[in-house]
C-alpha cells in the first residue's frame, strides 16, 4: 500500500480528499468574491457543513449504514471533504440558478438533480478504493451491507435520492433564512443568526419520516424495495419537468461564460477527477455510468448559459 506524507492514509484516499477540498474551497472563494454580504455567506457554509451535513453523515455512520476511511481532516467519523463538498454543491447550485433566473421555489429541487448527477461519479470510485489500514479493510466509503438488494454498482439506490433530500431541505431552509434576513433590512444580528437556525431546521427535517417516504415510499414499502427506483426516477423526472416548465419564466440577465464559468468548471473537474481515478486504478466497470452522468450533468449546466429572452432582460432578478 502506498502512503503519502508519512501518514497511515492510503494515497488515493488522501489525494481524493485534497482535490475535493481544493475544488470546494475554489467554489467558496468564487461565491464570496461575488457576494455583497460575504460574512453571512461564510456563516451559511460553516453552519450547514457542521450542523447539517456533518451531523447527518455522522448519524448515518452511527446507525451502521456505512463507514468512511480515514482522512487528514475529520468531522467525527466523517472526512471533512464529504459535508464540505455537499454544501458547496448546494450553495453553488442555488447561486447559479439564481443568476440564471430560475423561480426561487424551484432552485432547491433542481439543485438536488445536480447533486444526484455529481454523486454518480463520486460514489462508485470511492467505494472501490479499498485498502487495509491498521488491520481494518475498507473502501474510502463502504456500505454495510454491500449495497443491499436494490443497488446501483453495489450502492443503494436510495443513496442517490438522498442527495435530493440533502439539497432540498438545506436549500429550502437556507432560502427561507435569506428571505427573513432580507425582510429585516439586512440587520446585522439576523445575518449572524439565520445560517445556524437554517442548518438546525434542515437537520431536523432530514430526520423526519418525510425523508423515508421520499426515499422508498415508507410506510407503504420498506427500504430495499423496488420503490427506491420509483422515487429516484420521480425526483430526476420532477427536476427535469421543473427546468422545462420554468425555462420560459426565467428572469434576469442569465449566465455569462466570461463571468460564470466556474459554475461549469468546478463540477466538471470533480467528474473528471473521479473518472481519471477510475482509469488509473484500472476499474472499468463503473466508467459507463460515470461518463453518462458526467456528460448529462455538463450538458444540463451548459444549457443554463443560454441567454434569457430579450423581453425579460429588463426584469430584476428575484432574490
Amino acid at each position: 500500500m502506498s502512503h503519502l506524507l508519512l501518514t497511515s492514509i492510503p494515497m488515493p484516499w488522501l489525494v481524493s480528499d485534497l482535490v475535493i477540498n481544493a475544488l470546494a474551497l475554489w467554489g467558496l472563494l468564487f461565491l464570496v468574491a461575488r457576494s455583497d454580504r460575504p460574512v453571512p455567506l461564510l456563516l451559511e457554509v460553516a453552519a450547514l457543513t457542521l450542523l447539517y451535513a456533518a451531523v447527518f453523515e455522522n448519524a448515518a455512520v452511527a446507525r451502521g449504514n456505512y463507514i468512511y476511511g480515514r482522512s487528514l481532516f475529520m468531522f467525527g467519523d466523517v472526512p471533512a471533504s464529504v459535508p464540505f463538498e455537499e454544501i458547496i454543491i448546494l450553495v453553488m447550485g442555488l447561486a447559479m440558478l439564481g443568476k440564471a433566473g430560475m423561480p426561487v421555489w424551484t432552485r432547491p429541487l433542481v439543485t438536488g438533480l445536480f447533486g444526484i448527477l455529481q454523486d454518480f461519479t463520486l460514489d462508485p470510485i470511492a467505494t472501490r478504493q479499498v485498502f487495509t489500514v491498521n488491520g481494518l479493510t475498507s473502501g474510502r466509503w463502504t456500505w454495510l451491507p454491500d449495497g443491499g438488494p436494490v443497488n446501483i454498482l453495489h450502492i443503494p439506490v436510495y443513496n442517490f435520492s438522498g442527495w435530493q433530500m440533502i439539497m432540498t431541505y438545506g436549500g429550502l431552509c437556507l432560502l427561507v433564512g435569506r428571505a427573513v434576513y432580507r425582510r429585516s433590512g439586512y440587520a446585522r444580528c439576523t445575518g449572524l443568526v439565520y445560517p445556524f437556525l437554517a442548518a438546525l431546521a434542515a437537520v431536523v427535517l432530514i430526520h423526519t419520516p418525510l425523508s423515508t417516504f421520499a426515499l422508498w415510499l415508507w410506510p407503504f414499502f420498506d427500504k430495499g424495495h423496488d420503490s427506491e427506483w420509483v422515487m429516484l426516477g420521480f425526483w430526476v423526472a420532477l427536476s427535469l419537468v421543473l427546468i422545462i416548465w420554468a425555462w420560459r419564466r426565467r428572469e434576469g440577465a442569465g449566465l455569462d461564460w466570461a463571468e460564470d464559468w466556474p459554475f461549469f468548471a468546478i463540477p466538471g473537474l470533480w467528474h473528471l477527477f473521479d473518472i481519471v481515478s477510475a482509469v488509473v486504478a484500472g476499474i472499468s466497470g463503473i466508467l459507463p455510468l460515470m461518463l453518462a452522468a458526467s456528460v448529462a450533468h455538463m450538458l444540463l449546466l451548459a444549457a443554463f448559459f443560454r441567454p434569457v429572452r430579450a423581453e425579460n432582460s429588463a426584469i430584476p432578478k428575484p432574490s
Side-chain angles (χ1 to χ4, degrees):
M1 177 178 62
S2 299
H3 296 81
L4 193 63
L5 302 178
L6 302 180
T7 73
S8 61
I9 303 171
M11 187 182 297
W13 294 4
L14 187 55
V15 171
S16 295
D17 271 346
L18 293 174
V19 170
I20 289 171
N21 280 318
L23 289 172
L25 181 59
W26 177 16
L28 176 59
L29 294 175
F30 168 65
L31 293 177
V32 167
R34 296 164 56 95
S35 177
D36 295 330
R37 296 173 178 83
V39 172
L41 173 60
L42 289 169
L43 291 177
E44 289 176 359
V45 173
L48 287 166
T49 299
L50 294 171
L51 301 180
Y52 176 44
V55 169
F56 167 75
E57 292 290 347
N58 274 282
V61 172
R63 287 193 300 268
N65 292 345
Y66 45 75
I67 59 172
Y68 287 101
R70 300 300 298 175
S71 167
L72 283 179
F73 310 103
M74 300 287 293
F75 291 150
D77 293 319
V78 178
S81 59
V82 174
F84 189 30
E85 180 185 29
E86 289 171 353
I87 299 309
I88 292 302
I89 290 173
L90 170 61
V91 294
M92 286 195 71
L94 294 177
M96 191 200 84
L97 294 173
K99 179 71 183 297
M102 290 286 286
V104 176
W105 66 272
T106 67
R107 296 174 199 171
L109 290 165
V110 175
T111 301
L113 178 58
F114 297 161
I116 290 172
L117 292 172
Q118 196 78 63
D119 202 41
F120 276 137
T121 64
L122 174 66
D123 287 353
I125 183 61
T127 57
R128 285 160 176 78
Q129 292 176 324
V130 179
F131 294 91
T132 300
V133 180
N134 298 327
L136 175 65
T137 300
S138 75
R140 183 160 58 93
W141 184 54
T142 304
W143 276 89
L144 305 171
D146 185 21
V150 181
N151 65 79
I152 299 173
L153 299 175
H154 301 293
I155 301 164
V157 171
Y158 78 82
N159 166 75
F160 300 99
S161 302
W163 275 80
Q164 185 74 52
M165 300 300 96
I166 292 172
M167 299 294 113
T168 299
Y169 293 142
L172 174 63
C173 293
L174 198 56
L175 291 176
V176 170
R178 289 176 180 177
V180 172
Y181 180 42
R182 185 172 61 253
R183 291 192 177 190
S184 74
Y186 300 106
R188 178 182 176 86
C189 181
T190 306
L192 296 176
V193 170
Y194 85 82
F196 298 94
L197 294 180
L200 292 173
V203 80
V204 168
L205 279 174
I206 205 168
H207 285 104
T208 63
L210 182 61
S211 293
T212 50
F213 177 82
L215 295 178
W216 54 74
L217 288 174
W218 182 90
F220 305 105
F221 300 99
D222 291 324
K223 181 170 62 175
H225 192 274
D226 286 340
S227 55
E228 291 182 27
W229 283 108
V230 173
M231 294 314 295
L232 177 60
F234 171 78
W235 291 118
V236 171
L238 176 62
S239 297
L240 292 174
V241 167
L242 286 177
I243 291 171
I244 295 170
W245 174 83
W247 194 254
R248 293 185 175 275
R249 294 166 175 80
R250 295 180 302 146
E251 299 175 347
L255 293 174
D256 179 81
W257 282 110
E259 297 179 358
D260 303 315
W261 61 273
F263 285 127
F264 182 86
I266 292 173
L269 289 173
W270 266 323
H271 283 304
L272 180 62
F273 175 73
D274 292 333
I275 292 169
V276 170
S277 297
V279 171
V280 170
I283 306 172
S284 59
I286 61 177
L287 286 175
L289 175 63
M290 297 174 78
L291 290 169
S294 300
V295 170
H297 195 182
M298 294 298 95
L299 289 175
L300 183 60
L301 293 176
F304 284 98
F305 284 82
R306 291 179 57 188
V308 178
R309 292 180 303 167
E311 58 266 33
N312 285 343
S313 61
I315 304 175
K317 181 181 67 178
S319 301

